[in-house]
Amino acid sequence: MRHLLRYLGQRLYTMWAVFWFIVPFLLIYPAQSYFSRRPGGHKVVHALNRFWSKLSIAMWGMPVEVVRESSAPPPQPCVYVANHGSYVDIMLLFKTIPGFLNMMGKVSLARVPVWGPLFGRVYITVDRNSAVSRGRAMVAARRGLAAGKSIAVFAEGRISPTPGRELLPLLDGAFQVAIEAGVPLVPVGMPLNHMFMPDVEKDLRVRYHRLKIVFHPAIATAGLTLADIPALKERVAAQLTGDFLPEGARKPGPSTWRAPATVPDSTAQESLQRANS
């Protein structure tokens, strides 16, 4: 019975989370669609996205721990380099980073029905398998930084299959654009987002779980060259993996109303094998 009640609770919470994800978006969509097509309207769209993110996360009811390791405000502009473990990562960045934040995301985001075209018009999309697309994205990022717009990049390039436990190799793009623009890097760790909404193919899993985001001190890039990228990546990767927590080392499993099967420990298994031999 306990497992059945837990299963029903998870299903109800999933419905609640989906409701408060979709309804606020539908309410602001007409304004987003209008301003995304207007010159200078991108800041309005981003402000609406921040409102949407804050409202949804608040209604989900999860505690959100925000750790800022430096008392100084983040330099403007800068390149935020974040790990990627869940689709809720973007919303948490929108919620916690003030002002307009440019985003660099994979081109498939622009193909998401309804919301995707908005993302494609306001932010930067990149097909990492296309040299032409990568080049255009780098140019757009440099132009945004020159205009004073900070940018957030998921340097792993995609959602890690083992978030909270293993970081994918960081790609060069975020570090290259920061060095070429001469702006600081701010590593951002999000070690628990996948515990709330893991990336699982053909399945939607939502679990009530606390979230945490860590803003590390800015790393200056003035005077660095592209030859410094490997050392810079190693430094940032160490900071991001240092944010991992034991509770986030495994993705949550699928919901089930059945009690989990009891698996005998290794000692019992060895005794059973000896008895049968």
Side-chain angles (χ1 to χ4, degrees):
M1 179 60 70
R2 178 168 58 91
H3 297 284
L4 176 59
L5 293 176
R6 179 179 297 175
Y7 171 78
L8 293 175
Q10 289 174 345
R11 294 294 90 194
L12 289 173
Y13 183 70
T14 297
M15 293 170 61
W16 174 265
V18 170
F19 176 86
W20 282 108
F21 177 83
I22 293 177
V23 170
F25 171 73
L26 293 178
L27 292 175
I28 65 175
Y29 175 75
Q32 282 188 311
S33 181
Y34 173 79
F35 283 105
S36 68
R37 294 178 171 87
R38 306 291 297 178
H42 291 183
K43 289 186 177 181
V44 177
V45 175
H46 184 70
L48 290 169
N49 279 331
R50 290 190 68 229
F51 166 77
W52 172 28
S53 299
K54 286 185 173 184
L55 177 60
S56 294
I57 292 174
M59 294 308 299
W60 292 339
M62 302 168 306
V64 179
E65 181 183 2
V66 181
V67 178
R68 302 185 188 274
E69 294 189 340
S70 173
S71 58
Q76 296 294 330
C78 65
V79 177
Y80 293 95
V81 181
N83 67 300
H84 201 10
S86 169
Y87 285 112
V88 79
D89 292 346
I90 294 176
M91 300 186 74
L92 192 56
L93 291 174
F94 284 170
K95 169 182 167 61
T96 54
I97 298 177
F100 180 79
L101 176 66
N102 208 350
M103 289 290 305
M104 183 180 291
K106 56 187 179 181
V107 70
S108 60
L109 289 175
R111 304 190 187 109
V112 175
V114 186
W115 178 75
L118 295 175
F119 187 92
R121 286 194 292 267
V122 176
Y123 304 109
I124 301 172
T125 59
V126 57
D127 180 356
R128 301 190 189 277
N129 296 319
S130 167
V132 173
S133 179
R134 293 197 303 270
R136 289 175 178 171
M138 293 291 287
V139 170
R142 285 195 291 267
R143 287 176 178 172
L145 290 168
K149 300 176 181 178
S150 295
I151 185 171
V153 181
F154 297 116
E156 293 171 279
R158 61 187 179 94
I159 292 179
S160 171
T162 54
R165 181 160 52 93
E166 187 177 23
L167 196 70
L168 292 173
L170 303 184
L171 304 178
D172 289 354
F175 304 91
Q176 180 180 341
V177 73
I179 289 173
E180 291 178 345
V183 300
L185 284 163
V186 178
V188 182
M190 294 179 284
L192 297 175
N193 289 358
H194 63 285
M195 300 300 293
F196 168 74
M197 183 184 293
D199 177 34
V200 182
E201 187 177 359
K202 299 180 180 180
D203 189 13
L204 175 63
R205 299 180 192 172
V206 177
R207 300 287 188 277
Y208 182 88
H209 198 283
R210 74 184 184 99
L211 301 180
K212 182 177 182 179
I213 184 168
V214 181
F215 291 91
H216 293 275
I219 301 173
T221 64
L224 299 183
T225 68
L226 299 184
D228 295 303
I229 288 179
L232 196 56
K233 288 199 299 183
E234 184 177 352
R235 177 179 175 182
V236 171
Q239 290 179 308
L240 297 182
T241 54
D243 294 327
F244 291 165
L245 298 168
E247 66 189 274
R250 295 181 62 186
K251 286 184 182 180
S255 298
T256 177
W257 60 271
R258 298 178 183 273
T262 302
V263 179
D265 60 27
S266 58
T267 302
Q269 289 178 339
E270 290 174 1
S271 299
L272 182 62
Q273 289 174 355
R274 286 196 298 268
N276 294 332
S277 61

